[in-house]
Amino acid sequence: MPLLQTKALLDSWIAVTWEEFVNIADAPDSTKLKSYYYNGKMRFENMSTGSDHSKDHMTIILSVGLFAALRNIPINGHDCCSYRKKGATEFQPDASYYIGDKADVIPWGTRIFDLEQYPLPDLVIEISDTSISDDLGTKRLQYEELGISEYWIVNVQTMQIFAFTIGIDGSTRRIRESLVLVGLKLEILEQAIQRSRQENQSATTAWLMEQFR
């Protein structure tokens, strides 16, 4: 499939071989696209450049980092990194985290995280402005099948967070308090997003510090 054809096929799951997917995903013209491969189908999305998406993205990253620092929880977060298992799957969430004993598992200089070499992240986050139905649908199934410990979907339009924990047996349940960042109530993050609509990030961060202490 010629690369330029993907411009008309963004935000759709298209049946292709793994080799076809990799050729498109690794092409220079795809550097500004988020890439996914699941169940024999590929999906490409434009990396959002909108103010609403980017500000909520930053609010979540600031919140998670601040909470972990104040609670002395080792973490390393990654922004829009690609996770790949050759011949099977690829995902590129808006944010992802290795937590606790796995915080330092990814060495500096790694471009694509090879899931045959490195473990899955503990937390995956999608910031959903226009992709909410897919983030709640096929992507959720992909993350469930992989066994990601925790998955958050931040709905930019409604300022809600849908969060799920995934058990070792593949079962999922919705949560309102993180299990991988123990003690982090998602209601606080929702309030931070709401406050960010009316105040600057410094003010929101100061408020978060009071909530997390």
Side-chain angles (χ1 to χ4, degrees):
M1 178 181 292
L3 177 59
L4 292 178
Q5 288 188 21
T6 62
K7 292 182 179 179
L9 299 174
L10 292 175
D11 304 323
S12 300
W13 290 93
I14 309 297
V16 296
T17 67
W18 173 258
E19 290 73 19
E20 289 172 319
F21 164 74
V22 170
N23 285 338
I24 297 174
D26 292 351
D29 288 351
S30 296
T31 55
K32 293 185 178 181
L33 297 177
K34 291 177 61 182
S35 55
Y36 296 82
Y37 190 84
Y38 170 61
N39 200 25
K41 295 181 179 180
M42 71 176 186
R43 176 184 169 95
F44 287 89
E45 303 173 3
N46 280 313
M47 290 188 180
S48 179
T49 57
S51 175
D52 295 348
H53 182 284
S54 62
K55 191 171 184 182
D56 281 357
H57 190 161
M58 183 60 68
T59 297
I60 292 297
I61 289 173
L62 284 170
S63 300
V64 170
L66 179 62
F67 179 84
L70 291 174
R71 299 297 176 93
N72 294 314
I73 300 173
I75 66 167
N76 260 317
H78 303 275
D79 185 59
C80 292
C81 284
S82 292
Y83 295 85
R84 177 178 292 179
K85 186 174 182 180
K86 186 177 179 181
T89 194
E90 177 158 334
F91 57 98
Q92 194 173 356
D94 288 306
S96 52
Y97 290 88
Y98 287 96
I99 302 170
D101 293 341
K102 293 194 294 183
D104 300 312
V105 72
I106 304 297
W108 186 259
T110 303
R111 178 176 173 271
I112 295 177
F113 297 2
D114 182 355
L115 294 177
E116 294 181 338
Q117 182 178 1
Y118 303 116
L120 291 162
D122 298 288
L123 172 62
V124 163
I125 304 172
E126 296 284 5
I127 311 298
S128 299
D129 193 355
T130 60
S131 60
I132 186 66
S133 60
D134 190 75
D135 292 336
L136 281 169
T138 303
K139 287 182 195 173
R140 177 182 167 188
L141 294 176
Q142 181 179 20
Y143 294 141
E144 287 179 1
E145 188 172 301
L146 285 166
I148 302 291
S149 296
E150 200 162 299
Y151 174 38
W152 300 357
I153 304 159
V154 181
N155 189 329
V156 174
Q157 300 298 325
T158 64
M159 296 175 285
Q160 292 177 290
I161 298 176
F162 301 94
F164 303 89
T165 182
I166 303 172
I168 58 175
D169 61 351
S171 62
T172 65
R173 63 182 177 90
R174 191 172 173 187
I175 55 174
R176 292 297 294 162
E177 183 171 326
S178 177
L179 300 183
V180 296
L181 293 168
V182 178
L184 177 55
K185 296 181 179 180
L186 299 177
E187 178 184 2
I188 298 298
L189 302 190
E190 290 174 336
Q191 291 178 32
I193 292 170
Q194 292 164 13
R195 293 177 69 94
S196 74
R197 301 293 198 268
Q198 307 295 329
E199 62 189 20
N200 61 50
Q201 290 170 346
S202 295
T204 301
T205 302
W207 178 82
L208 280 166
M209 289 183 68
E210 294 300 318
Q211 308 309 307
F212 291 158
R213 289 190 187 280

